[in-house]
Amino acid sequence: MATVSSPGEVLAVALDLHEGRLSYRIERFGERIVDDSRLGVALRGAEKLERNLSLVSQSTSSVDQRWEQAWGERRWSRDHHRELRAEFAEGVGAKRHFSVVFRVFDDGVGFRYEFPLSAGAGAGELIIEDELTEFAIAPPMTAWWIPAGEWNRYEYLYQRTPLAEVGQAHTPLTLRSADGLHVALHEAALVDYSGMWLRRSEGQRLRAQLAPAAEGWKVRRGLPFHTPWRTLVITDSAAAMYESDLVLNLNEPSQLDDVSWFQPAKYVGIWWELHLDRSSWASGPRHGATTQNALRYIDFAAEHGFRGVLIEGWNRGWDGQWFGNGWDFDFTHATDDFDFEQVTAHARERGVHLIGHHETGCAVSHYERQLDAALRLYRNHGVDVIKSGYVCDAGQIERQDRRGGPVLREWHDGQWMSRHHLEVVRRAAAQQIAINPHEPIKDTGLRRSWPNWVSREGARGMEYGAWGNPPNTPEHEVELVFTRMLSGPMDYTPGIVSLQGRGQPILSTLARQLALYVVIYSPIQMAADLPEHYLAQPQAFQFIKDVAVDWAQTRVLAGEVGDFVVMARQDRHSEDWYLGAITDEHGRDLRQSLAFLAPGQRYRAQIYRDGERAHYRDQPLDFVAEERVVDHGDSLRLRLAPGGGIAVRFTPLQAERED
Ligand code: NOJ
Ligand code: CA
């Protein structure tokens, strides 16, 4: 009925109407990747929009443009795609219309529904009961997935199973076939809509399962509107899958005229000591966020060149079981032992910026009521990044209207929260503040439109190593790179050089903690360990001080989902390159060409690697820091211990004088 292929004729999409029902399929170089998969929506108070359809019109167009990221894994991205727009009507002389738009790139496909005013036959709005979109994956695939609609939001270890054994999964959902085809299912530009889970209906057929709203429906929108893009990155390697910019390309250009006020940077903070239970968020004798302790962290940051200091627990409301007392949080008043004016004045004097903290405990309406005052307070005291938090079980976000009506419960990734997050980001942008939510809604590339939405959590972070229930495995971090990280930056909070949690070890070697700064991208990176632990590991600390956080380019040099990854990134603000590699619980001996370095230039390579006997279980601190001079014709041996890693900084050497 209608077809469109990618600019390089790699992928082809075909739309079909069969007895009035609409479906699509995808091929790569003629091989079927997605079998006929249904399109449509089920509505409340109206018939499903999926039968008796006829094609009204179709058109194609194409785009090839470069655009610049405000900050990111690379400076320049290329949006090169062909678009097919097809409009449908229901029955003969029908009133209900909608369109489906496909954008086909060489490395994947995005499509969305567009509902014009005439989609609802007069009501002016649509209430979506269910999206009927399917993804019937053709070749047998292995899946890396975490469950959706379960209590722990996105914070699960990944399951690796045949796709045919997946239940209900979050996206990004990463798939690989035996011969190396990679498919990542996700979505782009999740705005005022519910997050998409994927539920397997039969075989390898998945269906969109939208996070429900408190009212029981999935989405309620005034007409006209369009859905987020449903995305499939389709490549022949894990590296190309990671490097795809498809999700960003499907987001709108920046809505902010100027974000030069946001500076990618590293930070330290009153944080790990809380998770180690050496101090408390709650006020009292064990309180972590005292004036004295804050001054100590600020001085440490200033001495070692960190721009940011995060302070958690400075405000009122943390006493008792804070994660159950969200309605107690006061975002503008400090505890008695924390002098907000003195601390912020000291930070200013020392050239350090506090990172603000807004833990909501999921009392989100309560937070919204204080939001403007809370942003103003920070803005007036030089705080330009805020870490926020939404700690509660999934589905337990508390929503209440202004009149103080009943408390309704929402999902972290439902339509109401998609609105909430964007509202916070918009209001923060107006105050020149960047946002980093923990327990967030998943990332769908909105940093392109809102570059002050700089990072987020949204997976099992380093904190699990503190609590140990159970700790993150070496494999988890490699899996993150090829799953969670396909969606965008993560505030993983690496750099635990003590390798110790609360009563159990972190499952990592020392060199690996450094490699995490290169392989797990975020424009704000925490040096998460305690100051005294860094002073005890000066060599490792040097790398953490040196490593860049904003990149001109990124290359995945080698890697397989769940096994290992080798990445090189070039600093956006110097000529330096950094290489990072991590492996799962298996040691690896790799040889890596340095051809990514500039030809004709010699570099000092500062290498931080696992020692000969290093092993994440019994020799995690066996560590070597050494230097060599290299150029782009050289190769480097990467000996990764089980659970290990390597980090390298390459700095151009001055041209030698010719006398
Ligand atoms: C969970 C966050 O992930 C963590 O970083 C934070 O310290 C606590 N919530 C308290 O807000
Ligand atoms: Ca968390």
Side-chain angles (χ1 to χ4, degrees):
M1 182 205 85
T3 57
V4 57
S5 54
S6 67
E9 305 292 335
V10 179
L11 296 175
V13 172
L15 278 178
D16 236 344
L17 270 180
H18 188 68
E19 295 180 348
R21 288 185 165 195
L22 178 60
S23 63
Y24 74 98
R25 58 180 178 270
I26 302 176
E27 291 181 353
R28 182 174 196 273
F29 292 126
E31 181 202 343
R32 187 65 66 82
I33 308 296
V34 177
D35 280 329
D36 289 320
S37 299
R38 175 150 96 123
L39 295 170
V41 289
L43 301 171
R44 180 167 287 200
E47 265 194 66
K48 285 184 188 178
L49 202 47
E50 64 119 19
R51 288 160 204 235
N52 303 319
L53 300 176
S54 58
L55 181 70
V56 176
S57 68
Q58 58 167 301
S59 61
T60 54
S61 57
S62 59
V63 164
D64 186 4
Q65 62 192 19
R66 253 169 35 120
W67 59 275
E68 189 177 3
Q69 300 205 42
W71 45 263
E73 300 94 321
R74 60 182 60 80
R75 178 162 187 177
W76 294 102
S77 288
R78 183 179 181 191
D79 177 357
H80 193 197
H81 70 260
R82 289 198 190 129
E83 178 179 291
L84 168 68
R85 172 177 292 274
E87 189 189 350
F88 299 91
E90 208 181 23
V92 188
K95 295 184 193 70
R96 298 202 299 178
H97 284 237
F98 70 97
S99 297
V100 179
V101 181
F102 275 84
R103 289 193 183 161
V104 188
F105 303 73
D106 284 340
D107 64 358
V109 174
F111 65 90
R112 73 181 183 192
Y113 301 92
E114 298 189 357
F115 297 108
L117 258 177
S118 53
E125 66 167 20
L126 282 192
I127 298 183
I128 296 182
E129 204 66 74
D130 255 319
E131 206 181 294
L132 304 176
T133 312
E134 288 182 339
F135 307 87
I137 306 298
M141 291 280 201
T142 300
W144 282 263
W145 60 286
I146 52 172
E150 295 297 335
W151 71 273
N152 205 7
R153 307 169 303 260
Y154 304 101
E155 298 177 20
Y156 289 92
L157 293 173
Y158 286 86
Q159 302 187 46
R160 174 196 170 140
T161 69
L163 172 56
E165 291 170 17
V166 168
Q168 177 164 270
H170 275 302
T171 73
L173 169 63
T174 296
L175 309 175
R176 188 182 69 200
S177 73
D179 57 0
L181 178 80
H182 289 68
V183 176
L185 295 165
H186 190 43
E187 58 183 311
L190 169 50
V191 176
D192 199 359
Y193 202 82
S194 276
M196 179 178 73
W197 306 337
L198 294 172
R199 189 161 84 186
R200 199 174 59 83
S201 56
E202 55 175 346
Q204 293 198 129
R205 187 176 294 268
L206 304 166
R207 175 160 74 75
Q209 183 73 29
L210 302 178
E215 292 90 343
W217 60 65
K218 304 294 169 43
V219 172
R220 179 177 187 171
R221 285 286 296 268
L223 291 164
F225 74 94
H226 54 75
T227 66
W229 296 95
R230 280 64 190 88
T231 62
L232 303 97
V233 170
I234 303 170
T235 64
D236 58 9
S237 71
M241 176 178 67
Y242 179 88
E243 289 182 2
S244 172
D245 275 338
L246 180 134
V247 168
L248 284 175
N249 279 328
L250 291 170
N251 275 271
E252 296 296 319
S254 179
Q255 309 290 301
L256 303 177
D257 297 334
D258 174 27
V259 275
S260 57
W261 52 264
F262 169 66
Q263 289 181 31
K266 285 167 287 186
Y267 69 102
V268 296
I270 300 179
W271 183 74
W272 188 244
E273 60 174 75
L274 299 163
H275 288 271
L276 289 181
D277 202 25
R278 294 200 185 179
S279 64
S280 64
W281 283 276
S283 62
R286 300 181 60 245
H287 191 203
T290 62
T291 303
Q292 281 320 308
N293 204 22
L295 299 185
R296 182 171 74 94
Y297 274 88
I298 289 167
D299 289 341
F300 179 78
E303 271 154 39
H304 297 282
F306 292 91
R307 184 179 191 271
V309 175
L310 169 70
I311 301 177
E312 295 198 0
W314 69 270
N315 60 319
R316 294 192 194 154
W318 292 90
D319 298 347
Q321 280 229 329
W322 61 263
F323 38 86
N325 298 342
W327 297 86
D328 292 346
F329 281 121
D330 177 332
F331 298 93
T332 53
H333 292 97
T335 56
D336 292 341
D337 54 358
F338 187 84
D339 187 333
F340 191 79
E341 294 296 332
Q342 187 189 343
V343 170
T344 50
H346 187 70
R348 208 164 30 246
E349 266 161 38
R350 306 244 31 198
V352 166
H353 292 249
L354 294 196
I355 295 194
H357 188 227
H358 286 165
E359 173 57 60
T360 67
C362 292
V364 174
S365 294
H366 174 69
Y367 173 47
E368 287 184 346
R369 287 168 203 158
Q370 299 180 61
L371 182 60
D372 285 329
L375 292 173
R376 236 178 293 120
L377 174 75
Y378 276 146
R379 155 84 189 201
N380 292 339
H381 289 84
V383 176
D384 54 10
V385 179
I386 295 174
K387 169 179 171 177
S388 55
Y390 297 85
V391 173
C392 67
D393 288 358
Q396 299 298 311
I397 295 270
E398 294 176 303
R399 156 188 170 195
Q400 186 189 45
D401 65 26
R402 289 226 164 238
R403 295 183 304 274
V407 171
L408 304 179
R409 297 200 181 261
E410 297 284 354
W411 289 84
H412 284 74
D413 47 359
Q415 182 185 10
W416 194 78
M417 282 304 282
S418 84
R419 278 193 198 156
H420 164 77
H421 282 290
L422 214 46
E423 186 59 26
V424 172
V425 165
R426 279 201 186 99
R427 289 205 226 167
Q431 304 284 341
Q432 301 200 335
I433 293 175
I435 298 292
N436 166 28
H438 279 227
E439 302 79 49
I441 193 166
K442 66 182 165 184
D443 199 345
T444 56
L446 286 170
R447 61 177 153 142
R448 180 174 179 191
S449 317
W450 297 96
N452 69 316
W453 196 341
V454 293
S455 196
R456 69 188 89 192
E457 190 187 41
R460 254 173 164 262
M462 183 63 85
E463 60 192 17
Y464 280 80
W467 318 328
N469 57 342
N472 292 338
T473 58
E475 188 168 52
H476 174 66
E477 288 165 342
V478 183
E479 286 167 337
L480 280 181
V481 171
F482 294 113
T483 54
R484 162 68 181 81
M485 300 312 293
L486 303 179
S487 72
M490 177 173 180
D491 189 29
Y492 186 71
T493 68
I496 303 300
V497 296
S498 56
L499 301 176
Q500 281 300 320
R502 199 200 288 170
Q504 77 289 317
I506 306 276
L507 304 181
S508 166
T509 65
L510 179 53
R512 178 193 186 86
Q513 288 300 308
L514 310 184
L516 292 175
Y517 287 88
V518 182
V519 301
I520 297 193
Y521 170 67
S522 174
I524 51 166
Q525 283 280 26
M526 188 170 202
D529 210 340
L530 307 180
E532 53 270 35
H533 292 165
Y534 286 125
L535 297 179
Q537 289 288 0
Q539 288 180 313
F541 192 35
Q542 189 59 47
F543 180 84
I544 295 174
K545 293 200 262 187
D546 291 340
V547 66
V549 285
D550 190 18
W551 306 105
Q553 40 178 327
T554 285
R555 310 236 181 104
V556 177
L557 302 173
E560 293 296 345
V561 186
D563 294 339
F564 74 103
V565 61
V566 184
M567 249 191 241
R569 304 197 197 252
Q570 186 183 27
D571 184 12
R572 183 150 164 184
H573 307 280
S574 76
E575 295 303 310
D576 291 359
W577 279 87
Y578 290 83
L579 178 147
I582 59 172
T583 179
D584 58 10
E585 69 281 13
H586 302 290
R588 274 166 226 276
D589 198 349
L590 309 168
R591 189 153 279 287
Q592 180 57 56
S593 147
L594 301 182
F596 57 86
L597 297 173
Q601 173 68 61
R602 300 195 320 142
Y603 292 81
R604 177 166 72 136
Q606 292 167 279
I607 301 167
Y608 302 83
R609 63 171 176 87
D610 293 325
E612 324 302 319
R613 302 174 45 177
H615 191 295
Y616 76 104
R617 288 224 175 267
D618 47 21
Q619 292 278 356
L621 291 166
D622 185 12
F623 171 79
V624 177
E626 61 191 10
E627 282 192 20
R628 279 175 53 189
V629 173
V630 298
D631 67 32
H632 93 300
D634 289 332
S635 66
L636 201 63
R637 184 172 174 198
L638 310 179
R639 272 191 70 260
L640 311 178
I646 185 170
V648 187
R649 177 190 189 190
F650 300 93
T651 316
L653 290 172
Q654 300 293 351
E656 277 134 66
R657 303 227 322 258
E658 291 197 355
D659 50 24

